[in-house]
Amino acid sequence: MRRSPFRPDLLQGKAALVTGGATGLGLEIARVLGGHGARVAICSRKEDNLRAAVDTLRQEGIEAIYGVCDVRRHDEVTTVIDDVLRAFGRLDIVVNNAAGNFPAPISELSPNGFKAVVDIDLLGTFNVSKAAYDLWLREHGGAVVNISAAIQYRGMALQAHVVSAKAGVDALTRASAIEWGSDGVRVNVVAPGAMSGTEGVKRVAGDNRQRTARNPLQRPGSTTEVADAVLFLASDAASYITGAVLVVDGGGWLTAPGAPDSPG
Ligand code: NAP
């Protein structure tokens, strides 16, 4: 295990839910939150992946459970959050990480393709946040961290559906931060750039070696670097931060052109 820059008991006593937590960044977020003391629930559609991920987390000493749901379905999400509350007795941290992505020019993007990504990324974030708020956060407070992207700040070819959905996630974050602040609920965004070795990068960019020179830090990030930003925003270290977007992309959105091979 790496030596984390954070205190190992930073989230001791807390419980977290990570959507899309069986793979890629979501699994690393679950690992980092759990590695700092939180009990962790993960959810998505594929039970085999969820089971394998929970086994991995438990082998690392993390108390982990899973629930099967499609984040587009509010009823399924509500059932999972009910189950998490029954198992852990609380839910302090919600990370909306589940997302869909594929490259397509607008000319070849069907209305259904566009809708599928908006439904998973934006409606899914709404469904999970709302269910968590209604069932727990309204009464007890907590932290929601929405995983967005950085490509919507400039726009990007082949990603019209994704930039539209992620711009919505950023906007929903600010609106819910305003509405829920008085209940002690903080809502923030982590906006990652391209992360080495993730499905997202492989699907959109293929080999991302060309990408390495395109941000000021001259390299792609790791999922751990992004998960550490989620940990910070989820923790009491960020107690006065809400409605914020923390871009974790090596500064890439400042300099990258909207090229088709820039993943998000
Ligand atoms: P990934 O490995 O493809 O993971 C996406 C996860 O979402 C999967 O575990 C998937 O599980 C789940 N999911 C998809 N549709 C779902 C649905 N309808 N209901 C419930 N779960 C669903 O993606 P990733 O590359 O790690 O990306 C994670 C997050 O970071 C996403 O929000 C993405 O937009 C963002 N991001 C990634 C990059 C990158 O470099 N990879 C860059 C910028 C932003 P099931 O298939 O089991 O449902």
Side-chain angles (χ1 to χ4, degrees), residues 35-192:
H36 291 81
R39 286 171 290 170
V40 178
I42 58 174
C43 67
S44 66
R45 295 163 302 175
K46 297 185 188 123
E47 188 158 13
D48 285 355
N49 288 353
L50 288 163
R51 202 179 293 119
V54 160
D55 283 349
T56 304
L57 293 169
R58 287 180 180 163
Q59 278 161 23
E60 294 176 13
I62 294 165
E63 191 176 334
I65 58 171
Y66 72 80
V68 179
C69 71
D70 185 326
V71 294
R72 292 172 288 190
R73 298 282 310 266
H74 187 261
D75 55 337
E76 294 182 13
V77 165
T78 299
T79 302
V80 164
I81 291 178
D82 267 332
D83 291 345
V84 172
L85 288 171
R86 242 189 310 278
F88 291 158
R90 58 191 300 142
L91 179 58
D92 308 279
I93 298 161
V94 175
V95 182
N96 285 298
N97 164 82
N101 196 358
F102 54 89
I106 296 170
S107 58
E108 287 168 26
L109 185 59
S110 70
N112 272 346
F114 185 92
K115 183 174 183 303
V117 170
V118 171
D119 280 356
I120 299 169
D121 295 23
L122 179 54
L123 178 63
T125 297
F126 171 81
N127 284 338
V128 175
S129 304
K130 178 173 168 54
Y133 177 78
D134 290 343
L135 294 173
W136 181 263
L137 298 174
R138 185 206 311 250
E139 285 286 310
H140 305 276
V144 178
V145 181
N146 296 326
I147 306 303
S148 177
I151 54 176
Q152 69 274 21
Y153 306 130
R154 292 167 61 106
M156 189 171 142
L158 311 188
Q159 293 282 276
H161 42 326
V162 177
V163 297
S164 303
K166 295 299 196 184
V169 170
D170 288 352
L172 175 62
T173 300
R174 287 187 280 269
S176 35
I178 293 167
E179 287 195 18
W180 297 348
S182 58
D183 300 313
V185 181
R186 297 184 298 103
V187 191
N188 291 292
V189 161
V190 165

Side-chain angles (χ1 to χ4, degrees), residues 18 20-32 42 53-54 56-57 97:
V18 182
T23 61
L25 174 61
L27 177 55
E28 187 60 13
I29 293 169
R31 179 181 278 126
V32 166
I42 58 174
V54 160
T56 304
L57 293 169
N97 164 82

